[in-house]
Amino acid sequence: MKTVIIGGVAGGLSAASQIKRADRDAEVIVLEKSGDPSYAACGMPYNLFFKDTPVEALYALSLDTIRNGRGIDYRLRHEAVAIDPRRQEVTVVDHEQNREYRERYDFLVYATGNRPAPLPLPGFDDPAVCYFKTLDDTRRVKRLIHDQAPACAILVGAGYTNLEVADVLYNMKIRPVIVEKAPAILPAFAAEIRDKVMEKIAEKGIEFHAGVDVQGKEGATVRTTAGDFDAGLVVVAIGVKPNTGLFAAAGGELGAAGAVKVDQFLQTNLPGVFAAGDCAEHYVRQLGRNSYMPLGPVANKQGRLAGNNIAHRDAMTMFHGIDQTAAFKFFDLTIATTGLNERQLREMGTDFGKIHVDTPTRGSFPGGGTMRTVLLFEKGTGLLLGGQMVGQDVVAKRLDVLAVAVYKQMTVFELAELDLSYAPPYAPVWDPLLIAANQAVKAV
Amino acid sequence: MKTVIIGGVAGGLSAASQIKRADRDAEVIVLEKSGDPSYAACGMPYNLFFKDTPVEALYALSLDTIRNGRGIDYRLRHEAVAIDPRRQEVTVVDHEQNREYRERYDFLVYATGNRPAPLPLPGFDDPAVCYFKTLDDTRRVKRLIHDQAPACAILVGAGYTNLEVADVLYNMKIRPVIVEKAPAILPAFAAEIRDKVMEKIAEKGIEFHAGVDVQGKEGATVRTTAGDFDAGLVVVAIGVKPNTGLFAAAGGELGAAGAVKVDQFLQTNLPGVFAAGDCAEHYVRQLGRNSYMPLGPVANKQGRLAGNNIAHRDAMTMFHGIDQTAAFKFFDLTIATTGLNERQLREMGTDFGKIHVDTPTRGSFPGGGTMRTVLLFEKGTGLLLGGQMVGQDVVAKRLDVLAVAVYKQMTVFELAELDLSYAPPYAPVWDPLLIAANQAVKAV
């Protein structure tokens, strides 16, 4: 049995590893276009800060572990340029040796990831304009920062990526200026959460402009509808697009948000072809349908599952989906969400209630902070629909309790009965989640 | 309606507050024997460290908030000395004014807490021998530490309390010596967890003796079967006993571990008398019966529920129990548990499996650590029976995910499907719990 995997980052390497775990003799070829093996993409903003920590520290595994430890035929700078689904062949360009060849497959895993949405404005082909998607992007931004020490950076787009980048740049004494096209930041979050992020932006004195169109760049000047800004660095992070060109050209069917359409076994419409990760759709349990929410954990899980289903194709397992859980850091704040958000609930016409509580994070023990918890629940039944948190100290792993509650379709009545851990260094005697649940119980 | 509450700490004050929340006009009298209002008992070890933070900083609420804010008739230094269940009267000694009087009640909440198990050995009536249960104990230990600066402390008993005390004293440059009667520490924990605690004891160079009988004290010398130890401070923490004398003398029925027997509405066998907190039994969901596990959160929850059931006695709600969740800090380690432990499972004759995994706590982000997760699950079905963790960084609030899983009777298969939060400052891309669940899935 021979499997070819296009793309060797999270989904691709997970699939490869899982096949080899199940069958050490299986032939598994990974075609990775770049010169880097699988890496922790979400760690890229933080790597910028550490001049002496090489970008390669983000590698998930060494090439030696991948090739010799796991027995995967992992080929760097090998780009798949065509899929022939009838012959079950991939055309490959080996950029190392400048040659083209064909690789036959029994199974193919399409794991090409995504790419930043482009901003093709006049002057934006300038070397000071960076995206932040690959290790090569990180190398470029890092070199620019450490070599040129720009005083100011324009961050176009106020999503997770640029908020994380703003945090890091600020700590490197590079003044971030955030410009966002939409009228407000973080549309998937409740106003009660967004307010805390905006307070932090103000507290840090970070220039922030919403409802702004960027018009172009002339020299060091970025022109926008909010005025001109001089900056030695521009980071564009205005969204992502799944890489589906090769797949679609081979007759592959696309689904949600133009990502590769997959069934619950992660099979595509092309025979023997699975897809996983940032190029594929992701089943959202609460929606009961596929959506597109490209994040590291789901890429790894899908890759693992695709590999498993290739190795055990008579007993395939279903991908049971995600609950839209996500978290990011912004200075001393953690912002985290799980489940449905208000925008989705309004679209669905759900009659929902919302409460929020502000609590300390610890008992009588130094070093804690404060946090805010928002719960969304169905009116009448109290079914927990979603939860969001923002605050200091431990937040993301508290949010996980809500992620389980969403997964298990718990009510806020049940949430109020949980026996959560308590000691002064970790929580007040009434855990923030219990306080929130008690509030929600009154509002059902 | 008039409610008298005996004991004004966690359970008692929670009950009082809940009654007043439901009915501002209800008469609520709290009889508190000590001179302190409700306080955060679990914060006492940590208060020792801060010479200039008064013990009173542990008060949960000010007397003014309790009396004027919440409208509770909260009486300090008032000791209930008898209950007459037929007349529905309590005999009270007012130590402030040196008088005795009777207080009639419609409802009584018995919330007298517990006391340290005594160690009545020769010479142990010495002022250098302390228990660690009340704020007065804390005042005494703290005064002794800061006035006499003992070089060494003998800690008798190696439970949560003395491990926390050892941590604090060590950081105050007072050398702790731990002596424990049992052959090993922390019997409710798996060997895989205990090992990590023992490693930390060794790493810190703390003297630890197990299987030791303490024989007495002569001058500054504590005599034990492991030898003699000179110490300026002895802290005894060898367990607790529920305070039930008054209740039993009135014909009250006792249950698990000699605590006040309660039904699921927290009613005792005496008419109109409820019990809550450290003096009462605690329903353990997984055992389907009452047990005794006195911790702050359950005391607060039971008090709140008892108050609620007094205020709404035509629509009482059931106490749905605990899952035996607990956590404590020991140097940079957090040790936490939820659900059934191996000892209980063996007693029950359950066919269970156990796995453990060692993982990092973060992704590519500075400041993390390592942790160990132990899962206990039913063979064949994969039902999660219990979980324990030990490690650095964020552990207690990770354990909470397992607490929810125990509450919802989840399987390890479900656990492996959870969508937990990820960003490099908070978790590796495969959360430790998912790694553990994947291991358990293979071992079901």
Side-chain angles (χ1 to χ4, degrees):
Chain A
M1 190 190 78
K2 178 173 169 183
T3 304
V4 171
I5 298 175
I6 305 180
V9 190
L13 182 58
S14 296
S17 302
Q18 190 65 6
I19 296 169
K20 294 297 286 189
R21 252 179 234 124
D23 177 7
R24 185 74 196 181
D25 297 329
E27 187 179 357
V28 179
I29 297 166
V30 175
L31 305 169
E32 170 55 40
K33 190 168 70 171
S34 82
D36 293 306
S38 182
Y39 58 93
C42 303
M44 294 188 307
Y46 304 109
N47 181 274
L48 294 178
F49 186 84
F50 299 98
K51 190 180 175 186
D52 297 328
T53 303
V55 165
E56 291 73 23
L58 294 168
Y59 286 175
L61 293 171
S62 71
L63 268 178
D64 182 60
T65 302
I66 294 171
R67 287 177 179 157
N68 302 317
R70 301 206 171 167
I72 297 164
D73 183 352
Y74 195 96
R75 303 179 184 173
L76 289 176
R77 292 192 223 282
H78 279 59
E79 181 177 6
V81 294
I83 302 166
D84 182 337
R86 210 175 42 80
R87 292 185 169 188
Q88 308 216 147
E89 271 183 6
V90 178
T91 306
V92 186
V93 171
D94 171 359
H95 291 289
E96 203 71 58
Q97 309 211 12
N98 238 325
R99 67 186 181 108
E100 184 172 302
Y101 64 98
R102 289 178 177 221
E103 201 67 71
R104 199 197 53 76
Y105 62 82
D106 297 313
F107 295 96
L108 182 74
V109 180
Y110 193 79
T112 51
N114 58 20
R115 64 186 183 284
L119 191 62
L121 296 174
F124 264 57
D125 49 356
D126 186 293
V129 178
C130 301
Y131 293 86
F132 208 68
K133 180 65 202 160
T134 66
L135 286 189
D136 279 333
D137 294 334
T138 309
R139 287 185 182 99
R140 200 171 136 211
V141 176
K142 196 169 179 176
R143 206 179 305 123
L144 194 152
I145 287 173
H146 290 282
D147 291 357
Q148 301 181 21
C152 173
I154 306 292
L155 309 183
V156 182
Y160 298 2
T161 301
N162 266 348
L163 290 175
E164 289 171 340
V165 168
D167 173 0
V168 171
L169 294 182
Y170 182 95
N171 286 309
M172 299 176 78
K173 317 283 181 216
I174 299 167
R175 188 166 64 84
V177 174
I178 306 174
V179 293
E180 165 61 45
K181 193 185 179 73
I185 53 165
L186 303 173
F189 283 85
E192 292 83 353
I193 303 290
R194 290 201 307 261
D195 288 350
K196 287 285 176 186
V197 178
M198 291 307 297
E199 280 173 25
K200 185 60 64 181
I201 287 174
E203 177 197 318
K204 294 290 175 185
I206 292 174
E207 214 174 313
F208 174 81
H209 302 275
V212 172
D213 276 319
V214 179
Q215 294 159 321
K217 188 166 188 287
E218 286 178 37
T221 306
V222 177
R223 304 214 182 280
T224 81
T225 51
D228 294 351
F229 301 95
D230 276 1
L233 170 66
V234 181
V235 179
V236 179
I238 55 170
V240 290
K241 300 277 181 199
N243 290 326
T244 55
L246 205 58
F247 176 77
E253 201 180 331
L254 303 183
V260 173
K261 189 179 175 69
V262 290
D263 66 13
Q264 288 217 328
F265 302 107
L266 303 181
Q267 298 174 116
T268 70
N269 68 313
L270 301 180
V273 180
F274 291 73
D278 291 356
C279 66
E281 296 177 316
H282 311 112
Y283 184 75
V284 177
R285 281 186 271 258
Q286 284 178 298
L287 296 175
R289 60 172 169 78
N290 283 341
S291 179
Y292 183 64
M293 195 171 174
L295 289 171
V298 63
N300 280 277
K301 277 185 196 158
Q302 284 193 329
R304 193 174 198 267
L305 194 95
N308 188 71
N309 286 348
I310 288 169
H312 305 286
R313 52 210 176 282
D314 299 332
M316 294 201 297
T317 49
M318 293 210 308
F319 178 65
H320 285 276
I322 59 171
D323 297 308
Q324 305 188 89
T325 308
F328 71 99
K329 175 185 176 298
F330 187 59
F331 295 96
D332 61 343
L333 296 182
T334 297
I335 299 98
T337 180
T338 190
L340 299 169
N341 59 49
E342 289 174 273
R343 196 174 50 176
Q344 290 174 319
L345 289 169
R346 277 192 288 267
E347 277 167 21
M348 293 161 74
T350 307
D351 183 16
F352 69 97
K354 173 170 72 163
I355 62 93
H356 79 273
V357 296
D358 292 322
T359 58
T361 62
R362 300 190 185 185
S364 297
F365 192 86
T370 60
M371 61 182 290
R372 175 171 285 183
T373 305
V374 172
L375 298 184
L376 303 170
F377 49 88
E378 190 175 54
K379 279 286 195 181
T381 67
L383 177 70
L384 182 75
L385 299 166
Q388 305 183 343
M389 291 178 176
V390 60
Q392 299 159 318
D393 200 14
V394 175
V395 168
K397 294 294 123 185
R398 285 193 143 99
L399 189 277
D400 283 356
V401 168
L402 295 178
V404 191
V406 164
Y407 173 85
K408 285 301 290 184
Q409 300 183 289
M410 284 170 66
T411 64
V412 295
F413 303 101
E414 292 179 296
L415 210 54
E417 290 183 354
L418 290 176
D419 187 8
L420 302 176
S421 61
Y422 164 64
Y426 313 122
V429 69
W430 284 100
D431 190 90
L433 272 177
L434 298 179
I435 296 173
N438 284 337
Q439 282 301 110
V441 159
K442 294 183 207 161
V444 165
Chain B
M1 192 191 75
K2 178 173 169 184
T3 304
V4 172
I5 298 176
I6 305 180
V9 189
L13 182 58
S14 296
S17 303
Q18 192 65 7
I19 296 169
K20 296 296 286 190
R21 252 179 233 123
D23 177 7
R24 185 74 196 178
D25 296 327
E27 188 179 356
V28 179
I29 297 166
V30 175
L31 305 170
E32 170 54 38
K33 190 167 68 172
S34 80
D36 293 307
S38 183
Y39 58 94
C42 302
M44 294 188 306
Y46 305 109
N47 180 275
L48 294 178
F49 187 84
F50 299 99
K51 191 180 174 185
D52 297 329
T53 304
V55 164
E56 292 72 24
L58 293 168
Y59 286 175
L61 293 171
S62 70
L63 269 178
D64 182 59
T65 302
I66 294 171
R67 288 179 178 156
N68 302 319
R70 298 205 175 168
I72 297 164
D73 183 352
Y74 194 95
R75 303 179 185 173
L76 289 176
R77 294 193 222 282
H78 279 58
E79 182 177 5
V81 294
I83 301 168
D84 183 337
R86 208 174 43 81
R87 291 187 171 184
Q88 307 217 149
E89 272 183 7
V90 178
T91 306
V92 187
V93 172
D94 171 357
H95 291 291
E96 203 72 60
Q97 310 210 10
N98 238 324
R99 67 184 181 109
E100 185 174 300
Y101 64 98
R102 292 178 177 222
E103 199 68 73
R104 200 196 53 75
Y105 63 80
D106 297 314
F107 295 97
L108 182 75
V109 180
Y110 193 78
T112 51
N114 58 19
R115 64 187 183 284
L119 193 61
L121 296 174
F124 264 58
D125 49 357
D126 187 292
V129 178
C130 302
Y131 293 86
F132 207 70
K133 180 65 202 163
T134 64
L135 285 189
D136 279 332
D137 295 335
T138 307
R139 288 187 182 99
R140 200 171 136 212
V141 175
K142 195 169 181 179
R143 206 178 307 124
L144 195 153
I145 288 173
H146 290 284
D147 290 357
Q148 301 180 20
C152 174
I154 306 292
L155 309 182
V156 183
Y160 297 3
T161 302
N162 266 347
L163 290 173
E164 289 172 340
V165 169
D167 172 359
V168 172
L169 294 182
Y170 182 96
N171 286 308
M172 298 175 80
K173 315 286 182 214
I174 299 168
R175 187 167 64 85
V177 175
I178 306 174
V179 293
E180 165 62 43
K181 193 184 180 75
I185 54 165
L186 303 174
F189 283 86
E192 293 82 353
I193 303 290
R194 291 201 307 261
D195 288 352
K196 288 284 176 187
V197 178
M198 291 308 297
E199 280 173 25
K200 185 60 64 182
I201 287 174
E203 178 197 319
K204 295 291 174 183
I206 292 174
E207 213 174 314
F208 174 82
H209 303 276
V212 172
D213 276 318
V214 178
Q215 293 159 322
K217 187 164 188 287
E218 288 177 34
T221 306
V222 177
R223 305 217 183 277
T224 81
T225 51
D228 294 350
F229 300 95
D230 277 0
L233 171 66
V234 181
V235 180
V236 179
I238 56 171
V240 288
K241 302 278 181 198
N243 291 327
T244 55
L246 204 58
F247 176 76
E253 201 180 331
L254 304 184
V260 173
K261 190 176 174 69
V262 290
D263 67 12
Q264 289 216 327
F265 301 107
L266 303 182
Q267 298 175 115
T268 70
N269 68 312
L270 301 181
V273 180
F274 292 73
D278 292 357
C279 64
E281 296 179 316
H282 312 112
Y283 184 75
V284 178
R285 281 186 271 259
Q286 283 178 298
L287 297 175
R289 60 172 168 78
N290 282 342
S291 179
Y292 184 63
M293 195 170 175
L295 289 172
V298 63
N300 280 278
K301 276 184 196 159
Q302 284 192 330
R304 192 174 199 270
L305 195 93
N308 189 70
N309 287 349
I310 288 169
H312 305 287
R313 51 212 176 280
D314 298 332
M316 296 202 295
T317 50
M318 293 209 309
F319 178 65
H320 284 278
I322 59 170
D323 298 308
Q324 304 188 90
T325 307
F328 70 98
K329 173 183 177 300
F330 186 59
F331 294 98
D332 61 343
L333 296 182
T334 297
I335 299 99
T337 180
T338 191
L340 299 169
N341 60 49
E342 288 174 272
R343 197 174 50 174
Q344 291 174 317
L345 290 168
R346 276 192 291 267
E347 278 168 20
M348 293 162 73
T350 307
D351 184 18
F352 69 95
K354 173 170 74 166
I355 62 94
H356 78 272
V357 297
D358 291 322
T359 57
T361 62
R362 300 190 185 184
S364 298
F365 191 86
T370 61
M371 62 182 289
R372 175 170 285 182
T373 305
V374 171
L375 297 184
L376 303 170
F377 48 89
E378 190 174 55
K379 280 286 198 181
T381 66
L383 177 70
L384 182 74
L385 300 168
Q388 305 182 343
M389 291 180 175
V390 60
Q392 300 159 317
D393 201 14
V394 176
V395 169
K397 293 293 123 187
R398 285 193 143 102
L399 189 277
D400 283 355
V401 169
L402 295 178
V404 191
V406 164
Y407 173 86
K408 285 303 286 183
Q409 301 184 288
M410 285 170 65
T411 65
V412 295
F413 303 101
E414 291 178 298
L415 210 53
E417 290 183 354
L418 291 176
D419 187 8
L420 302 177
S421 61
Y422 166 63
Y426 313 121
V429 68
W430 285 99
D431 189 90
L433 271 176
L434 298 178
I435 295 173
N438 284 337
Q439 282 303 109
V441 160
K442 292 183 207 161
V444 168

